[in-house]
């Protein structure tokens, strides 16, 4: 059954946000069918990184009706992924994905963020939402990066330093790529996704996208709380929204 849009508070809130920040072109692209199916407007998503987590999340964005351009340093290797995910998926260079996206998703090793920030930072900062999935992990990124990120106040504030002016929301940082597809739209109660960000419009957009993917976003605080959105913290793994709120209260 189609949802009654006029009575849908999520949609009303999103329209206010989108109308205020994203302009007429994007609003014109919204189709009632996609609204009805996902509860969130289709947004073009530029994914920087399309490995284990990038492809798992990309599949969920596409399932929710969002066109996705996957990118990496080797886009030629991503053609098979895009073909498997259907007509909403395409492949491009990082530059093309940044230009394509209404929203940019960063899903690369943390050690890649500095270079990405230097090369594409200005274009990334012009987007109303940058979803930061990236985690500083010693065994992959090196202990110096982990130490540096901690000195900045944790992953959220560190990402903000690497991407000046970007409207960052951290999300999905503690959920495994192996699980994220299986637990979307969990019957009997959605899995919560803790998010952290400072920009209200970016947060609203992120919430709409995450709901459409079949999860319940739970804002746990501003970017300083991003330090808890990592594997191995109490907020990592799979929790109900109520559990996330309870855990987050103990972390302030
Ligand atoms: N795996 C998980 O379950 C999981 C869960 C939550 C969060 N995360 C976080 O998500 C991020 C990605 O993890 P992953 O497991 O998906 O890693 P992965 O499988 O190694 O994929 C990394 C992707 O980033 C691309 N990449 C690397 N350097 C790049 C650069 N300089 N510019 C553009 N693209 C670049 C890689 O492609 P090319 O090498 O071809 O450029 C690849 O597509 C990490 O920060 C991780 O901590 C992962």
């Amino acid at each position: 059954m189609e949802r009654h849009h006029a009575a849908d508070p999520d949609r009303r809130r999103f329209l206010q946000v989108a109308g205020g920040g994203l302009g007429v072109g994007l609003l014109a692209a919204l189709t009632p069918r996609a609204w009805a199916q996902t509860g969130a407007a289709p947004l073009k998503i530029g994914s920087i990184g399309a490995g284990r987590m990038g492809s798992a999340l990309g599949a969920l964005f596409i399932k929710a009706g969002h066109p996705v351009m996957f990118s990496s340093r080797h886009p030629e290797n991503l053609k098979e992924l895009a073909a498997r995910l259907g007509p909403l998926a395409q492949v491009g260079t990082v530059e093309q994905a940044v230009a394509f996206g209404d929203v940019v998703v960063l899903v690369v090793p943390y050690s890649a963020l500095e270079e990405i920030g230097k090369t594409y930072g200005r274009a990334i900062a012009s987007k109303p939402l940058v979803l930061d999935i990236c985690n500083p992990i010693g065994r992959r990124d090196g202990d110096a990066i982990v130490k540096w990120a901690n000195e900045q106040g944790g992953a959220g504030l560190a990402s903000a330093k690497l991407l000046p002016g970007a409207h960052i929301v951290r999300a999905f940082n503690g959920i495994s790529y192996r699980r994220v597809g299986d637990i979307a739209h969990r019957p009997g109660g959605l899995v919560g996704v803790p998010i952290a960000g400072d920009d209200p419009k970016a947060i609203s957009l992120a919430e709409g996208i995450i709901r459409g993917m079949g999860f319940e976003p739970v804002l746990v605080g501003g970017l300083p709380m991003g330090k808890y959105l990592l594997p191995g913290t109490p907020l990592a793994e799979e929790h109900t929204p109520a559990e996330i709120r309870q855990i987050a209260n103990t972390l302030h």
Side-chain angles (χ1 to χ4, degrees):
M1 197 175 75
E2 283 225 340
R3 287 165 70 180
H4 189 265
H5 301 315
D8 181 339
D10 280 351
R11 182 172 190 265
R12 270 207 313 271
R13 191 167 171 218
F14 185 90
L15 275 174
Q16 282 161 2
V17 170
L22 299 180
V24 175
L26 176 60
L27 287 174
L30 310 185
T31 65
R33 187 150 172 264
W35 280 113
Q37 284 175 341
T38 68
L43 289 163
K44 289 190 282 176
I45 294 180
S47 183
I48 308 186
R52 293 171 302 176
M53 193 60 172
S55 57
L57 289 177
L60 292 175
F61 294 139
I62 284 172
K63 230 177 185 172
H66 305 291
V68 178
M69 184 181 283
F70 293 97
S71 74
S72 77
R73 294 166 302 180
H74 308 99
E76 65 282 4
N77 295 345
L78 306 177
K79 286 184 181 156
E80 202 181 307
L81 167 72
R84 179 159 47 84
L85 293 177
L88 285 179
Q90 55 183 299
V91 169
T93 62
V94 173
E95 186 177 8
Q96 286 168 332
V98 172
F100 172 85
D102 298 316
V103 169
V104 167
V105 179
L106 293 167
V107 63
V108 293
Y110 211 82
S111 49
L113 283 186
E114 183 176 7
E115 191 56 42
I116 289 170
K118 279 185 185 150
T119 313
Y120 308 103
R122 189 187 287 242
I124 288 174
S126 75
K127 306 292 170 177
L129 168 63
V130 176
L131 273 182
D132 174 20
I133 320 296
C134 308
N135 300 320
I137 306 282
R139 70 176 180 281
R140 182 194 56 211
D141 300 307
D143 291 340
I145 290 189
V146 175
K147 183 169 175 280
W148 177 83
N150 288 337
E151 284 165 3
Q152 310 314 306
L157 293 173
S159 298
K161 211 154 216 177
L162 296 170
L163 299 156
H167 303 107
I168 294 173
V169 175
R170 279 181 70 74
F172 291 107
N173 309 84
I175 296 178
S176 167
Y177 79 98
R178 289 198 181 88
R179 294 283 299 154
V180 72
D182 290 343
I183 60 176
H185 297 284
R186 186 171 69 184
L190 296 179
V191 173
V193 171
I195 64 172
D198 291 334
D199 182 80
K201 283 182 184 173
I203 291 165
S204 273
L205 284 172
E207 287 173 339
I209 290 170
I210 293 167
R211 284 201 185 94
M213 295 163 76
F215 296 90
E216 183 61 39
V218 181
L219 181 66
V220 296
L223 281 180
M225 282 297 280
K227 68 181 171 195
Y228 296 116
L229 303 191
L230 292 173
T233 72
L235 286 171
E237 313 286 342
E238 295 150 33
H239 301 284
T240 66
E243 286 166 352
I244 290 173
R245 286 186 195 98
Q246 202 176 16
I247 296 167
N249 279 337
T250 69
L251 298 175
H252 283 289

mmCIF file with all atom_site columns, all heavy atoms in Angstrom, residues 195-216:
data_model
loop_
_atom_site.group_PDB
_atom_site.id
_atom_site.type_symbol
_atom_site.label_atom_id
_atom_site.label_alt_id
_atom_site.label_comp_id
_atom_site.label_asym_id
_atom_site.label_entity_id
_atom_site.label_seq_id
_atom_site.pdbx_PDB_ins_code
_atom_site.Cartn_x
_atom_site.Cartn_y
_atom_site.Cartn_z
_atom_site.occupancy
_atom_site.B_iso_or_equiv
_atom_site.pdbx_formal_charge
_atom_site.auth_seq_id
_atom_site.auth_comp_id
_atom_site.auth_asym_id
_atom_site.auth_atom_id
_atom_site.pdbx_PDB_model_num
ATOM 1   N N   . ILE A 1 195 ? 24.754 7.460  14.792 1.00 0.00 ? 195 ILE A N   1
ATOM 2   C CA  . ILE A 1 195 ? 25.371 8.447  13.901 1.00 0.00 ? 195 ILE A CA  1
ATOM 3   C C   . ILE A 1 195 ? 25.849 9.636  14.735 1.00 0.00 ? 195 ILE A C   1
ATOM 4   O O   . ILE A 1 195 ? 25.314 9.904  15.815 1.00 0.00 ? 195 ILE A O   1
ATOM 5   C CB  . ILE A 1 195 ? 24.402 8.917  12.776 1.00 0.00 ? 195 ILE A CB  1
ATOM 6   C CG1 . ILE A 1 195 ? 23.184 9.659  13.342 1.00 0.00 ? 195 ILE A CG1 1
ATOM 7   C CG2 . ILE A 1 195 ? 23.961 7.739  11.918 1.00 0.00 ? 195 ILE A CG2 1
ATOM 8   C CD1 . ILE A 1 195 ? 22.305 10.298 12.251 1.00 0.00 ? 195 ILE A CD1 1
ATOM 9   N N   . ALA A 1 196 ? 26.858 10.316 14.218 1.00 0.00 ? 196 ALA A N   1
ATOM 10  C CA  . ALA A 1 196 ? 27.364 11.515 14.892 1.00 0.00 ? 196 ALA A CA  1
ATOM 11  C C   . ALA A 1 196 ? 27.651 12.569 13.846 1.00 0.00 ? 196 ALA A C   1
ATOM 12  O O   . ALA A 1 196 ? 28.220 12.269 12.792 1.00 0.00 ? 196 ALA A O   1
ATOM 13  C CB  . ALA A 1 196 ? 28.642 11.189 15.669 1.00 0.00 ? 196 ALA A CB  1
ATOM 14  N N   . GLY A 1 197 ? 27.233 13.781 14.115 1.00 0.00 ? 197 GLY A N   1
ATOM 15  C CA  . GLY A 1 197 ? 27.473 14.872 13.171 1.00 0.00 ? 197 GLY A CA  1
ATOM 16  C C   . GLY A 1 197 ? 27.095 16.194 13.807 1.00 0.00 ? 197 GLY A C   1
ATOM 17  O O   . GLY A 1 197 ? 26.414 16.221 14.848 1.00 0.00 ? 197 GLY A O   1
ATOM 18  N N   . ASP A 1 198 ? 27.534 17.270 13.175 1.00 0.00 ? 198 ASP A N   1
ATOM 19  C CA  . ASP A 1 198 ? 27.291 18.599 13.734 1.00 0.00 ? 198 ASP A CA  1
ATOM 20  C C   . ASP A 1 198 ? 26.288 19.412 12.922 1.00 0.00 ? 198 ASP A C   1
ATOM 21  O O   . ASP A 1 198 ? 25.733 20.381 13.418 1.00 0.00 ? 198 ASP A O   1
ATOM 22  C CB  . ASP A 1 198 ? 28.609 19.402 13.791 1.00 0.00 ? 198 ASP A CB  1
ATOM 23  C CG  . ASP A 1 198 ? 29.573 18.829 14.814 1.00 0.00 ? 198 ASP A CG  1
ATOM 24  O OD1 . ASP A 1 198 ? 29.116 18.184 15.778 1.00 0.00 ? 198 ASP A OD1 1
ATOM 25  O OD2 . ASP A 1 198 ? 30.799 19.023 14.633 1.00 0.00 ? 198 ASP A OD2 1
ATOM 26  N N   . ASP A 1 199 ? 26.084 19.057 11.663 1.00 0.00 ? 199 ASP A N   1
ATOM 27  C CA  . ASP A 1 199 ? 25.286 19.903 10.775 1.00 0.00 ? 199 ASP A CA  1
ATOM 28  C C   . ASP A 1 199 ? 23.858 19.353 10.680 1.00 0.00 ? 199 ASP A C   1
ATOM 29  O O   . ASP A 1 199 ? 23.648 18.218 10.238 1.00 0.00 ? 199 ASP A O   1
ATOM 30  C CB  . ASP A 1 199 ? 25.934 19.899 9.376  1.00 0.00 ? 199 ASP A CB  1
ATOM 31  C CG  . ASP A 1 199 ? 25.181 20.798 8.427  1.00 0.00 ? 199 ASP A CG  1
ATOM 32  O OD1 . ASP A 1 199 ? 25.397 22.021 8.492  1.00 0.00 ? 199 ASP A OD1 1
ATOM 33  O OD2 . ASP A 1 199 ? 24.359 20.293 7.639  1.00 0.00 ? 199 ASP A OD2 1
ATOM 34  N N   . PRO A 1 200 ? 22.868 20.163 11.102 1.00 0.00 ? 200 PRO A N   1
ATOM 35  C CA  . PRO A 1 200 ? 21.489 19.650 11.146 1.00 0.00 ? 200 PRO A CA  1
ATOM 36  C C   . PRO A 1 200 ? 20.971 19.157 9.791  1.00 0.00 ? 200 PRO A C   1
ATOM 37  O O   . PRO A 1 200 ? 20.284 18.136 9.728  1.00 0.00 ? 200 PRO A O   1
ATOM 38  C CB  . PRO A 1 200 ? 20.666 20.841 11.632 1.00 0.00 ? 200 PRO A CB  1
ATOM 39  C CG  . PRO A 1 200 ? 21.640 21.764 12.269 1.00 0.00 ? 200 PRO A CG  1
ATOM 40  C CD  . PRO A 1 200 ? 22.969 21.542 11.607 1.00 0.00 ? 200 PRO A CD  1
ATOM 41  N N   . LYS A 1 201 ? 21.295 19.857 8.708  1.00 0.00 ? 201 LYS A N   1
ATOM 42  C CA  . LYS A 1 201 ? 20.805 19.414 7.394  1.00 0.00 ? 201 LYS A CA  1
ATOM 43  C C   . LYS A 1 201 ? 21.446 18.094 7.003  1.00 0.00 ? 201 LYS A C   1
ATOM 44  O O   . LYS A 1 201 ? 20.797 17.196 6.470  1.00 0.00 ? 201 LYS A O   1
ATOM 45  C CB  . LYS A 1 201 ? 21.119 20.461 6.326  1.00 0.00 ? 201 LYS A CB  1
ATOM 46  C CG  . LYS A 1 201 ? 20.189 21.653 6.366  1.00 0.00 ? 201 LYS A CG  1
ATOM 47  C CD  . LYS A 1 201 ? 20.528 22.619 5.244  1.00 0.00 ? 201 LYS A CD  1
ATOM 48  C CE  . LYS A 1 201 ? 19.653 23.859 5.333  1.00 0.00 ? 201 LYS A CE  1
ATOM 49  N NZ  . LYS A 1 201 ? 20.048 24.875 4.370  1.00 0.00 ? 201 LYS A NZ  1
ATOM 50  N N   . ALA A 1 202 ? 22.727 17.990 7.255  1.00 0.00 ? 202 ALA A N   1
ATOM 51  C CA  . ALA A 1 202 ? 23.423 16.737 6.930  1.00 0.00 ? 202 ALA A CA  1
ATOM 52  C C   . ALA A 1 202 ? 22.848 15.587 7.754  1.00 0.00 ? 202 ALA A C   1
ATOM 53  O O   . ALA A 1 202 ? 22.643 14.483 7.236  1.00 0.00 ? 202 ALA A O   1
ATOM 54  C CB  . ALA A 1 202 ? 24.925 16.890 7.187  1.00 0.00 ? 202 ALA A CB  1
ATOM 55  N N   . ILE A 1 203 ? 22.568 15.859 9.001  1.00 0.00 ? 203 ILE A N   1
ATOM 56  C CA  . ILE A 1 203 ? 22.017 14.814 9.872  1.00 0.00 ? 203 ILE A CA  1
ATOM 57  C C   . ILE A 1 203 ? 20.644 14.370 9.348  1.00 0.00 ? 203 ILE A C   1
ATOM 58  O O   . ILE A 1 203 ? 20.356 13.182 9.257  1.00 0.00 ? 203 ILE A O   1
ATOM 59  C CB  . ILE A 1 203 ? 21.921 15.320 11.328 1.00 0.00 ? 203 ILE A CB  1
ATOM 60  C CG1 . ILE A 1 203 ? 23.333 15.479 11.916 1.00 0.00 ? 203 ILE A CG1 1
ATOM 61  C CG2 . ILE A 1 203 ? 21.077 14.383 12.194 1.00 0.00 ? 203 ILE A CG2 1
ATOM 62  C CD1 . ILE A 1 203 ? 23.389 16.299 13.192 1.00 0.00 ? 203 ILE A CD1 1
ATOM 63  N N   . SER A 1 204 ? 19.804 15.345 8.977  1.00 0.00 ? 204 SER A N   1
ATOM 64  C CA  . SER A 1 204 ? 18.474 14.991 8.445  1.00 0.00 ? 204 SER A CA  1
ATOM 65  C C   . SER A 1 204 ? 18.588 14.143 7.187  1.00 0.00 ? 204 SER A C   1
ATOM 66  O O   . SER A 1 204 ? 17.844 13.176 7.008  1.00 0.00 ? 204 SER A O   1
ATOM 67  C CB  . SER A 1 204 ? 17.690 16.252 8.105  1.00 0.00 ? 204 SER A CB  1
ATOM 68  O OG  . SER A 1 204 ? 17.009 16.701 9.226  1.00 0.00 ? 204 SER A OG  1
ATOM 69  N N   . LEU A 1 205 ? 19.488 14.544 6.297  1.00 0.00 ? 205 LEU A N   1
ATOM 70  C CA  . LEU A 1 205 ? 19.667 13.753 5.064  1.00 0.00 ? 205 LEU A CA  1
ATOM 71  C C   . LEU A 1 205 ? 20.140 12.346 5.393  1.00 0.00 ? 205 LEU A C   1
ATOM 72  O O   . LEU A 1 205 ? 19.648 11.359 4.840  1.00 0.00 ? 205 LEU A O   1
ATOM 73  C CB  . LEU A 1 205 ? 20.689 14.430 4.151  1.00 0.00 ? 205 LEU A CB  1
ATOM 74  C CG  . LEU A 1 205 ? 20.209 15.660 3.384  1.00 0.00 ? 205 LEU A CG  1
ATOM 75  C CD1 . LEU A 1 205 ? 21.383 16.323 2.684  1.00 0.00 ? 205 LEU A CD1 1
ATOM 76  C CD2 . LEU A 1 205 ? 19.137 15.279 2.376  1.00 0.00 ? 205 LEU A CD2 1
ATOM 77  N N   . ALA A 1 206 ? 21.106 12.248 6.299  1.00 0.00 ? 206 ALA A N   1
ATOM 78  C CA  . ALA A 1 206 ? 21.635 10.931 6.673  1.00 0.00 ? 206 ALA A CA  1
ATOM 79  C C   . ALA A 1 206 ? 20.531 10.073 7.279  1.00 0.00 ? 206 ALA A C   1
ATOM 80  O O   . ALA A 1 206 ? 20.408 8.884  6.958  1.00 0.00 ? 206 ALA A O   1
ATOM 81  C CB  . ALA A 1 206 ? 22.794 11.092 7.652  1.00 0.00 ? 206 ALA A CB  1
ATOM 82  N N   . GLU A 1 207 ? 19.718 10.676 8.129  1.00 0.00 ? 207 GLU A N   1
ATOM 83  C CA  . GLU A 1 207 ? 18.633 9.912  8.759  1.00 0.00 ? 207 GLU A CA  1
ATOM 84  C C   . GLU A 1 207 ? 17.675 9.361  7.711  1.00 0.00 ? 207 GLU A C   1
ATOM 85  O O   . GLU A 1 207 ? 17.256 8.195  7.782  1.00 0.00 ? 207 GLU A O   1
ATOM 86  C CB  . GLU A 1 207 ? 17.883 10.801 9.755  1.00 0.00 ? 207 GLU A CB  1
ATOM 87  C CG  . GLU A 1 207 ? 18.686 11.079 11.015 1.00 0.00 ? 207 GLU A CG  1
ATOM 88  C CD  . GLU A 1 207 ? 18.035 12.105 11.936 1.00 0.00 ? 207 GLU A CD  1
ATOM 89  O OE1 . GLU A 1 207 ? 17.189 12.910 11.461 1.00 0.00 ? 207 GLU A OE1 1
ATOM 90  O OE2 . GLU A 1 207 ? 18.402 12.128 13.123 1.00 0.00 ? 207 GLU A OE2 1
ATOM 91  N N   . GLY A 1 208 ? 17.336 10.197 6.717  1.00 0.00 ? 208 GLY A N   1
ATOM 92  C CA  . GLY A 1 208 ? 16.419 9.734  5.667  1.00 0.00 ? 208 GLY A CA  1
ATOM 93  C C   . GLY A 1 208 ? 17.016 8.578  4.874  1.00 0.00 ? 208 GLY A C   1
ATOM 94  O O   . GLY A 1 208 ? 16.341 7.588  4.580  1.00 0.00 ? 208 GLY A O   1
ATOM 95  N N   . ILE A 1 209 ? 18.285 8.703  4.539  1.00 0.00 ? 209 ILE A N   1
ATOM 96  C CA  . ILE A 1 209 ? 18.942 7.648  3.755  1.00 0.00 ? 209 ILE A CA  1
ATOM 97  C C   . ILE A 1 209 ? 19.001 6.348  4.566  1.00 0.00 ? 209 ILE A C   1
ATOM 98  O O   . ILE A 1 209 ? 18.694 5.266  4.059  1.00 0.00 ? 209 ILE A O   1
ATOM 99  C CB  . ILE A 1 209 ? 20.368 8.095  3.343  1.00 0.00 ? 209 ILE A CB  1
ATOM 100 C CG1 . ILE A 1 209 ? 20.280 9.217  2.307  1.00 0.00 ? 209 ILE A CG1 1
ATOM 101 C CG2 . ILE A 1 209 ? 21.177 6.927  2.793  1.00 0.00 ? 209 ILE A CG2 1
ATOM 102 C CD1 . ILE A 1 209 ? 21.618 9.890  2.008  1.00 0.00 ? 209 ILE A CD1 1
ATOM 103 N N   . ILE A 1 210 ? 19.375 6.459  5.826  1.00 0.00 ? 210 ILE A N   1
ATOM 104 C CA  . ILE A 1 210 ? 19.549 5.261  6.661  1.00 0.00 ? 210 ILE A CA  1
ATOM 105 C C   . ILE A 1 210 ? 18.196 4.568  6.890  1.00 0.00 ? 210 ILE A C   1
ATOM 106 O O   . ILE A 1 210 ? 18.095 3.341  6.830  1.00 0.00 ? 210 ILE A O   1
ATOM 107 C CB  . ILE A 1 210 ? 20.254 5.636  7.985  1.00 0.00 ? 210 ILE A CB  1
ATOM 108 C CG1 . ILE A 1 210 ? 21.698 6.080  7.679  1.00 0.00 ? 210 ILE A CG1 1
ATOM 109 C CG2 . ILE A 1 210 ? 20.233 4.485  8.977  1.00 0.00 ? 210 ILE A CG2 1
ATOM 110 C CD1 . ILE A 1 210 ? 22.411 6.757  8.842  1.00 0.00 ? 210 ILE A CD1 1
ATOM 111 N N   . ARG A 1 211 ? 17.145 5.360  7.105  1.00 0.00 ? 211 ARG A N   1
ATOM 112 C CA  . ARG A 1 211 ? 15.803 4.755  7.256  1.00 0.00 ? 211 ARG A CA  1
ATOM 113 C C   . ARG A 1 211 ? 15.423 4.005  5.991  1.00 0.00 ? 211 ARG A C   1
ATOM 114 O O   . ARG A 1 211 ? 14.906 2.897  6.041  1.00 0.00 ? 211 ARG A O   1
ATOM 115 C CB  . ARG A 1 211 ? 14.748 5.816  7.543  1.00 0.00 ? 211 ARG A CB  1
ATOM 116 C CG  . ARG A 1 211 ? 14.800 6.307  8.934  1.00 0.00 ? 211 ARG A CG  1
ATOM 117 C CD  . ARG A 1 211 ? 13.500 6.969  9.401  1.00 0.00 ? 211 ARG A CD  1
ATOM 118 N NE  . ARG A 1 211 ? 13.766 7.483  10.731 1.00 0.00 ? 211 ARG A NE  1
ATOM 119 C CZ  . ARG A 1 211 ? 14.164 8.730  10.991 1.00 0.00 ? 211 ARG A CZ  1
ATOM 120 N NH1 . ARG A 1 211 ? 14.258 9.611  10.015 1.00 0.00 ? 211 ARG A NH1 1
ATOM 121 N NH2 . ARG A 1 211 ? 14.433 9.108  12.221 1.00 0.00 ? 211 ARG A NH2 1
ATOM 122 N N   . GLY A 1 212 ? 15.685 4.626  4.854  1.00 0.00 ? 212 GLY A N   1
ATOM 123 C CA  . GLY A 1 212 ? 15.348 3.993  3.575  1.00 0.00 ? 212 GLY A CA  1
ATOM 124 C C   . GLY A 1 212 ? 16.107 2.694  3.357  1.00 0.00 ? 212 GLY A C   1
ATOM 125 O O   . GLY A 1 212 ? 15.645 1.810  2.635  1.00 0.00 ? 212 GLY A O   1
ATOM 126 N N   . MET A 1 213 ? 17.277 2.582  3.977  1.00 0.00 ? 213 MET A N   1
ATOM 127 C CA  . MET A 1 213 ? 18.086 1.355  3.843  1.00 0.00 ? 213 MET A CA  1
ATOM 128 C C   . MET A 1 213 ? 17.609 0.256  4.786  1.00 0.00 ? 213 MET A C   1
ATOM 129 O O   . MET A 1 213 ? 18.110 -0.878 4.739  1.00 0.00 ? 213 MET A O   1
ATOM 130 C CB  . MET A 1 213 ? 19.556 1.660  4.168  1.00 0.00 ? 213 MET A CB  1
ATOM 131 C CG  . MET A 1 213 ? 20.216 2.601  3.189  1.00 0.00 ? 213 MET A CG  1
ATOM 132 S SD  . MET A 1 213 ? 21.743 3.280  3.900  1.00 0.00 ? 213 MET A SD  1
ATOM 133 C CE  . MET A 1 213 ? 22.852 1.876  3.729  1.00 0.00 ? 213 MET A CE  1
ATOM 134 N N   . GLY A 1 214 ? 16.658 0.606  5.672  1.00 0.00 ? 214 GLY A N   1
ATOM 135 C CA  . GLY A 1 214 ? 16.119 -0.428 6.553  1.00 0.00 ? 214 GLY A CA  1
ATOM 136 C C   . GLY A 1 214 ? 16.758 -0.473 7.930  1.00 0.00 ? 214 GLY A C   1
ATOM 137 O O   . GLY A 1 214 ? 16.800 -1.531 8.578  1.00 0.00 ? 214 GLY A O   1
ATOM 138 N N   . PHE A 1 215 ? 17.210 0.685  8.405  1.00 0.00 ? 215 PHE A N   1
ATOM 139 C CA  . PHE A 1 215 ? 17.785 0.801  9.747  1.00 0.00 ? 215 PHE A CA  1
ATOM 140 C C   . PHE A 1 215 ? 17.156 1.996  10.462 1.00 0.00 ? 215 PHE A C   1
ATOM 141 O O   . PHE A 1 215 ? 16.556 2.859  9.821  1.00 0.00 ? 215 PHE A O   1
ATOM 142 C CB  . PHE A 1 215 ? 19.307 1.014  9.681  1.00 0.00 ? 215 PHE A CB  1
ATOM 143 C CG  . PHE A 1 215 ? 20.056 -0.136 9.096  1.00 0.00 ? 215 PHE A CG  1
ATOM 144 C CD1 . PHE A 1 215 ? 20.288 -0.199 7.725  1.00 0.00 ? 215 PHE A CD1 1
ATOM 145 C CD2 . PHE A 1 215 ? 20.515 -1.166 9.901  1.00 0.00 ? 215 PHE A CD2 1
ATOM 146 C CE1 . PHE A 1 215 ? 20.975 -1.273 7.175  1.00 0.00 ? 215 PHE A CE1 1
ATOM 147 C CE2 . PHE A 1 215 ? 21.205 -2.237 9.358  1.00 0.00 ? 215 PHE A CE2 1
ATOM 148 C CZ  . PHE A 1 215 ? 21.432 -2.297 7.994  1.00 0.00 ? 215 PHE A CZ  1
ATOM 149 N N   . GLU A 1 216 ? 17.333 2.043  11.781 1.00 0.00 ? 216 GLU A N   1
ATOM 150 C CA  . GLU A 1 216 ? 16.871 3.203  12.541 1.00 0.00 ? 216 GLU A CA  1
ATOM 151 C C   . GLU A 1 216 ? 18.081 4.031  12.959 1.00 0.00 ? 216 GLU A C   1
ATOM 152 O O   . GLU A 1 216 ? 18.889 3.580  13.779 1.00 0.00 ? 216 GLU A O   1
ATOM 153 C CB  . GLU A 1 216 ? 16.089 2.729  13.778 1.00 0.00 ? 216 GLU A CB  1
ATOM 154 C CG  . GLU A 1 216 ? 15.485 3.858  14.607 1.00 0.00 ? 216 GLU A CG  1
ATOM 155 C CD  . GLU A 1 216 ? 14.483 4.716  13.844 1.00 0.00 ? 216 GLU A CD  1
ATOM 156 O OE1 . GLU A 1 216 ? 13.698 4.162  13.055 1.00 0.00 ? 216 GLU A OE1 1
ATOM 157 O OE2 . GLU A 1 216 ? 14.517 5.950  14.022 1.00 0.00 ? 216 GLU A OE2 1
#
